[in-house]
Amino acid sequence: WQKTFNQYQVTHVLPRLSGTNPDYETYSDLLVSTDWELTQLGAATACFYRTDTKDPQLEDYVTKHRVDFIADNVCPHQRFWLH
């Protein structure tokens, strides 16, 4: 897949998470892959960017936008989970 994605300059993918045929299998595969990083999660889709490239701009974007489920859901001043 990497050769083809490089040829067409594919940097990110959006598996569908809603509708009549959600692609949870691809979402799960990408979530555990070391070649992809989750940068956004919504009701209809998720956005994964490649981490196997040597593009400094892409690496910078992924670093700044990666989803951190813990940091994004814990109150920074108190030790309790937000609901």
Side-chain angles (χ1 to χ4, degrees):
W1 65 267
Q2 290 168 323
K3 183 178 177 182
T4 302
F5 279 26
N6 289 340
Q7 178 183 353
Y8 292 102
Q9 300 178 3
V10 174
T11 58
H12 57 287
V13 295
L14 304 161
R16 180 179 44 249
L17 300 178
S18 65
T20 58
N21 190 22
D23 194 0
Y24 297 129
E25 185 174 348
T26 298
Y27 170 78
S28 297
D29 289 344
L30 293 168
L31 198 58
V32 298
S33 173
T34 58
D35 294 324
W36 297 92
E37 186 73 44
L38 179 65
T39 59
Q40 190 171 2
L41 178 62
T45 190
C47 184
F48 288 89
Y49 273 82
R50 291 178 65 179
T51 59
D52 66 323
T53 66
K54 302 294 184 217
D55 181 344
Q57 285 182 305
L58 185 59
E59 290 176 6
D60 185 52
Y61 179 86
V62 170
T63 299
K64 290 178 180 174
H65 293 90
R66 71 175 31 113
V67 172
D68 183 338
F69 289 107
I70 305 250
D72 294 343
N73 291 291
V74 174
C75 182
H77 304 292
Q78 299 179 7
R79 295 187 183 271
F80 65 87
W81 293 93
L82 298 177
H83 300 288

